[in-house]
Each structure stands twice: as C-alpha cells, then as structure tokens.
Amino acid sequence: MLHTLARRSGPVARRGRLVLSVALVAAAPTLATTAAETAALSIDVSKPGAKIDRNIFGQFAEHLGHGVYEGIWVGPDSTIPNTRGIRDDVVAALRALKVPNVRWPGGCFADEYHWRKGIGAGRAATLNPNWGGVIEPNSFGTHEFMDFVDQIGSEAYLSVNVGSGTPQEAAEWLEYLTTSQPTALAKERAANGHPAPYSVRYLGIGNESWDCGGNMTPDYYLSQLGIYSRFVRNFNPAQQQGPHRMLKIAVGPGGDGPRWTEWTNAIMKAWQGRSWSWDIDGLSMHSYTVVKWPPSYKSVGFGETEYSQILKSTLEMDRLIATHSAIMDKYDPQKKVALVVDEWGAWYAPSPGTNPGFLVQQNSLRDAVLAALNLNVFARHADRVRMANIAQMINVLQAMILTDKEKMVLTPTYHAFSMYVPFQDATFVPVSFDAGTYTHGDVTLPRLDAIAARDAAGRLWLAVTNLDPNRSVVVEATLAGITPKAAAGETLTAPRVDSVNTFEAPNTVVPKPIAAKIHGATLALTLEPKSVTVISVEQ
Ligand code: AHR
C-alpha cells in the first residue's frame, strides 16, 4: 500500500508559493528575543461570506489497525463499559465534538468490503489485505456502524465497493438499509433488529479508484460512476427530497499534478454533460501532509525543523483546493458540486514497535496547529469545500482519540476540533491582516493565521493561530459592524512543539481559558507561541 502511494508522490514533493487570502510582509529579521510583536486584524461583520458547512468537521473511520476494533468496537461482552458493543468513553468524547458525519468502512478497505459478511448471526472471518493482512472478524458491520453513528449523534457517509464489488451488491446494500417497503431485504433488516429504514445521508461511489480502488482510468471510472449513480438508490421516504436527500460523492483527485487535474477535468466535464439519469453532488479530494512518501517524519521526538517543514507542507492545501476549484468553476460556475476533502491530515512514520500496516502515530501540539490551519483553509473556501473528513478518527493517522484497552486519551487534534465547534454552520466573516513571517532555516511561513464567523445566534467567533514557536503575538483586532462588549475564549499550547498527551499524562496539551481586552471597537489579546486560540465576542 505504501509503495502504491509512493507512486503518487509528486504532489507531496511540490514546492510553491504560499497563497493566502492575507498579505505577507517582507521577511522579518530573525530575532534572538521572545518579545511579543503586534499584529493588526480587521474584521468586518457587515460583509458576511459563505456558510462554513458543519460537514467540513467530518471524520473517517476505516477498518484499519485499531481504528474500529478496540477504538470503537469492544463487543457487548467486554469489561470496558459499552452500549451494544460500542465503547461508552469514546461515544461521550465524540458526542462533545458534534461530529457531523462519519465516512466508513474505508478507504482502500471499502473496495474490498462485502456488506453481507457484516450482518446477521454467525459472521465469517475474512481478511484485510490492505492493512496488515489481519483477520477481519466482521463483528462491526452495517447495524453496528449505524448504531455508532446514532450514538454519537452523527450522519452516515457510506463508501460503496466499486473496485471488487458490483452495482447489484451496492444497490442491494442501500435497499437493505433504506427501504420502508416490505421487500425481502427490508424483512431481513427487521429480523436483524432494525425494522425502520435507516438514514444514509452521504454515498461515496468508490475510493481512490485511480489507485487502491481499482487502478481505473478517468474514462473507466466514469463508466462505473454512471452505473452506480443510477442504480444505487436511497429508498428512505424521508430522504427523497429536501434537506435530508442523500448526496452522492464521486472519486476525485489525489494531488495537483497533471494526472489529477486531468481527473478532475474529466469528471466535471462529464458531469456538465450529464443526462437526467445520473448526477453527483460532490467530488472527493484526498491530500495528506506527508512531505515525502513513504511517510518518514516522526510524530513525536522532533524539533523546530520538522515542525516548520510539516506546517509548510500542510499549507499547500490552499493551493490544491484553489487548483481543483478553478477546474470545477469552469464546468460548474454555480458551485452545485461540492469539493469534498474526505481524507486529509498528517501521515507520519509508524510509531516504533507497532504494526506498520496499522498506521499508528502519536499526535502532538504540531497536529493541533496543523488541524487549525486546514480548517481555516476549508473555511476560506466554504463556497466550494462543503465537506471534509480528517483521517482518521481513532488510533490511526491524525487521530482524535487514542485507546489502549480500557484507557482513552484525547489528542491535541481533538482539542482543536473541540474549540472549533462554534464554527459549524456559522457564516464566514472576512478577516484581513498582515500575517508577518516566521522563518526557520530555509522555511518561511506566515506567522499568523485567522478566520472569523458569526453563528446562528449572531455571536462573532475568531480563531487565531500563532505558528511561531518562539514569539508571542499581540493581536489587535478592529471590529466593524458590531460593538464589542467583552471577549473570552480558549487557547491551546504546550511547552514543546512535539508535546503530546499520553495515558499517563493526558493533560499536557489541553485548552486553557484566555481573556481579551476591549477598547472601543478594538479587541486585544496576546497569543502564546505555537498556539491555537478561539475567542467569542459579546456584543
Ligand atoms: O487513510 C488511509 C488510506 O489512505 C485510505 O485507506 C486510502 O483511501 C488512502 O490512500
């Protein structure tokens, strides 16, 4: 698998000018001081932008390593507290994040998954050839996933098997899940404990069909897309139209070289010329922060050099989205088709002593900063990027949660996501600022990043990240369109760029309260080095 990924490594070695919707000033001199500098922000609430779709905070749970088994599923007989086999501690932690959707069962796993093996009694063990070649017990199947999604208060994003499955298999899965008519499949679903139709809100038609999903050319994939889009129907009466309609997401690009721009072009061109009998609502895009394949950066035990290089690489997300959005604009100027970044996050070297096929890595303060920067990029592209899924939810890659038997710890990425909850479905508010620069070795980055949004209650939220690991920043934000009365929030930082939370020390990287001062229309606060801060403004 990693070898396969290495062949699409062009984009991750990419170099390019950092494009941000902020102005970068000339390189600041490298200071041998930790004195705070001042950055001026200007926020105009009277010029609202697009809605920041809550779905950009989606997550991805693949049958991979201990992501599902142990991370979510311990089985009803486990001594670990659980509800119908799903661990209670994990459910409580995820409920607090308001996870809008969960993509399942893969990933590469999805194109070898046969749903019938995961329903009913007496489930046969199969193999998981993609991820360590281990046994797949199939004890976590359709009903268990839908129960999990329900327990955490989320929506299902199913990825159907286009690579080694058939349109009939996928169509029957959706009929099994969603019909309210007394068909044989509906009766089977009822016999398995769920008489009522399930809601399936998002349908992914294949996964990386250009690679682990079947090595398809754009034309071959398009021929499959037409078939699956036509026949894999949702029959749930409540989902035939309106806000609960099932949205279909096609496989999109995995980088920014010609191979990927041609892929996006081909799918979008076909979509523009579509007939009444097929349609899509989203185009998927996968982009990991890896710098080079195979992943070799350590997830803990690194210094400022690796911190700055990884952040530089992650900021390429903006250019990647801009590239593919521009192609989509050509065929879809009304932005009907969403760009769905349904695999993103940091991919590091496997933690020493772990099965390399399980993609186990620690999660540090650097990952919280990285998460905030990507969420900011998605928010700035909110008109096109309406869904995203961090890879992955638990124990795999840039996880929210790590578990070891009965122990559970929340990662710095979890805390960044938690602080960003108020941005779900909030309206983007433009922030202009001079980011300044942070330089380490041959890497120069913006020192600051910021987004703002207004929630449904009209409250203004500001998220500011100080990338510089050595210098504080005093932020002075001028607010137009509201009269601020008070402002306070939370800030996330830690002693080192590679500080982590462990089972023994779970509170090394946790949010702490922060207050801001208000003078007239100006809000002032001091950002600690290497920190993510979210502030709400009373008016
Ligand atoms: O998230 C791990 C893997 O990365 C997924 O299975 C695949 O889609 C991607 O290559």
Side-chain angles (χ1 to χ4, degrees):
M1 177 60 201
L2 297 184
H3 177 69
T4 316
L5 287 167
R7 278 190 279 108
R8 60 168 168 109
S9 63
V12 288
R14 59 196 171 230
R15 292 267 183 274
R17 195 168 56 84
L18 185 68
V19 181
L20 284 177
S21 61
V22 297
L24 300 183
V25 293
T30 307
L31 299 178
T33 165
T34 56
E37 293 181 22
T38 301
L41 270 68
S42 141
I43 306 171
D44 190 350
V45 175
S46 66
K47 296 195 176 75
K51 183 179 88 169
I52 302 170
D53 199 307
R54 69 182 187 285
N55 281 308
I56 70 165
F57 298 90
Q59 298 189 26
F60 174 35
E62 179 166 15
H63 286 233
L64 194 176
H66 296 304
V68 168
Y69 296 108
E70 296 190 28
I72 296 172
W73 179 256
V74 287
D77 300 330
S78 172
T79 52
I80 299 172
N82 69 84
T83 301
R84 296 180 293 280
I86 294 165
R87 49 192 299 171
D88 292 339
D89 52 356
V90 163
V91 167
L94 293 172
R95 277 194 82 83
L97 280 192
K98 299 191 189 307
V99 181
N101 71 83
V102 185
R103 181 169 181 255
W104 176 85
C108 298
F109 179 83
D111 279 299
E112 293 189 85
Y113 183 63
H114 300 285
W115 67 274
R116 279 212 150 272
K117 303 204 189 285
I119 57 164
R123 304 202 189 157
T126 54
L127 286 175
N128 188 339
N130 278 294
W131 304 119
V134 295
I135 290 286
E136 164 56 56
N138 285 300
S139 19
F140 189 87
T142 300
H143 290 260
E144 292 76 20
F145 173 67
M146 298 307 285
D147 189 13
F148 169 61
V149 163
D150 191 49
Q151 287 192 36
I152 68 168
S154 191
E155 300 264 22
Y157 175 9
L158 291 187
S159 193
V160 295
N161 182 344
V162 173
S164 68
T166 63
Q168 181 181 2
E169 181 186 14
E172 288 180 357
W173 193 14
L174 265 287
E175 183 191 324
Y176 176 87
L177 278 155
T178 63
T179 187
S180 61
Q181 307 260 43
T183 67
L185 284 167
K187 287 179 185 165
E188 194 178 357
R189 183 188 69 223
N192 287 332
H194 207 275
Y198 285 111
S199 163
V200 178
R201 192 75 176 84
Y202 308 99
L203 185 82
I205 301 179
N207 169 75
E208 298 192 355
S209 302
W210 29 259
D211 192 346
C212 75
N215 296 306
M216 300 174 193
T217 61
D219 281 350
Y220 185 84
Y221 175 71
L222 275 168
S223 70
Q224 301 301 300
L225 179 63
I227 295 168
Y228 279 76
S229 172
R230 172 84 186 117
F231 296 118
V232 185
R233 295 182 168 101
N234 184 317
F235 295 101
N236 187 325
Q239 293 196 269
Q240 295 313 297
Q241 54 195 10
H244 301 295
R245 186 175 67 84
M246 183 176 80
L247 305 183
K248 296 178 183 175
I249 297 154
V251 170
D256 70 350
R259 181 184 176 198
W260 307 115
T261 49
E262 281 160 24
W263 185 282
T264 299
N265 199 71
I267 309 295
M268 291 307 297
K269 189 173 176 195
W271 176 82
Q272 189 187 44
R274 72 198 179 283
S275 67
W276 65 269
S277 57
W278 75 277
D279 204 352
I280 55 168
D281 305 281
L283 182 73
S284 142
M285 183 178 95
H286 291 181
S287 176
Y288 286 97
T289 300
V290 63
V291 181
K292 61 181 186 321
W293 298 94
S296 56
Y297 276 66
K298 290 197 284 182
S299 58
V300 66
F302 57 86
E304 191 174 344
T305 300
E306 296 83 359
Y307 169 83
S308 58
Q309 289 172 350
I310 285 288
L311 294 189
K312 177 183 161 93
S313 174
T314 215
L315 285 168
E316 290 289 326
M317 179 65 87
D318 185 73
R319 190 166 60 85
L320 194 57
I321 290 174
T323 300
H324 291 287
S325 294
I327 300 170
M328 295 175 81
D329 285 349
K330 224 167 48 163
Y331 301 104
D332 175 26
Q334 292 177 294
K335 300 187 195 292
K336 289 184 176 163
V337 179
L339 187 60
V340 176
V341 191
D342 55 10
E343 286 188 31
W344 69 273
W347 191 327
Y348 303 127
S351 293
T354 62
N355 183 335
F358 284 9
L359 310 188
V360 177
Q361 60 190 47
Q362 245 298 0
N363 194 294
S364 69
L365 175 65
R366 177 179 64 185
D367 296 300
V369 172
L370 183 154
L373 295 176
N374 279 279
L375 293 171
N376 293 354
V377 170
F378 301 153
R380 280 193 279 267
H381 290 278
D383 56 349
R384 182 64 84 177
V385 178
R386 299 196 286 272
M387 190 156 161
N389 299 74
I390 190 165
Q392 299 195 6
M393 194 176 232
I394 303 162
N395 293 331
V396 177
L397 298 178
Q398 191 177 343
M400 300 283 141
I401 294 173
L402 302 176
T403 65
D404 180 17
K405 301 190 179 66
E406 76 291 349
K407 290 180 276 191
M408 178 190 87
V409 66
L410 306 178
T411 67
T413 299
Y414 175 97
H415 292 302
F417 266 63
S418 156
M419 291 162 69
Y420 268 71
V421 165
F423 287 86
Q424 294 196 10
D425 283 343
T427 302
F428 186 82
V429 171
V431 186
S432 49
F433 58 101
D434 185 339
T437 54
Y438 150 59
T439 298
H440 181 76
D442 60 359
V443 174
T444 294
L445 301 173
R447 183 150 47 102
L448 205 69
D449 192 21
I451 59 162
R454 240 176 154 177
D455 68 17
R459 182 183 291 251
L460 179 68
W461 294 87
L462 173 66
V464 211
T465 296
N466 179 7
L467 285 75
D468 192 323
N470 305 310
R471 292 181 300 180
S472 307
V473 182
V474 175
V475 165
E476 287 181 357
T478 311
L479 309 179
I482 63 167
T483 308
K485 292 212 175 75
E490 288 186 318
T491 191
L492 185 67
T493 188
R496 300 159 52 103
V497 284
D498 72 335
S499 290
V500 298
N501 292 334
T502 62
F503 300 114
E504 296 71 35
N507 296 322
T508 306
V509 194
V510 290
K512 302 205 168 56
I514 183 171
K517 289 190 183 129
I518 303 286
H519 304 286
T522 302
L523 172 160
L525 76 159
T526 303
L527 305 177
E528 289 189 52
K530 50 178 167 24
S531 62
V532 177
T533 302
V534 174
I535 295 285
S536 82
V537 182
E538 300 279 349
Q539 49 188 298

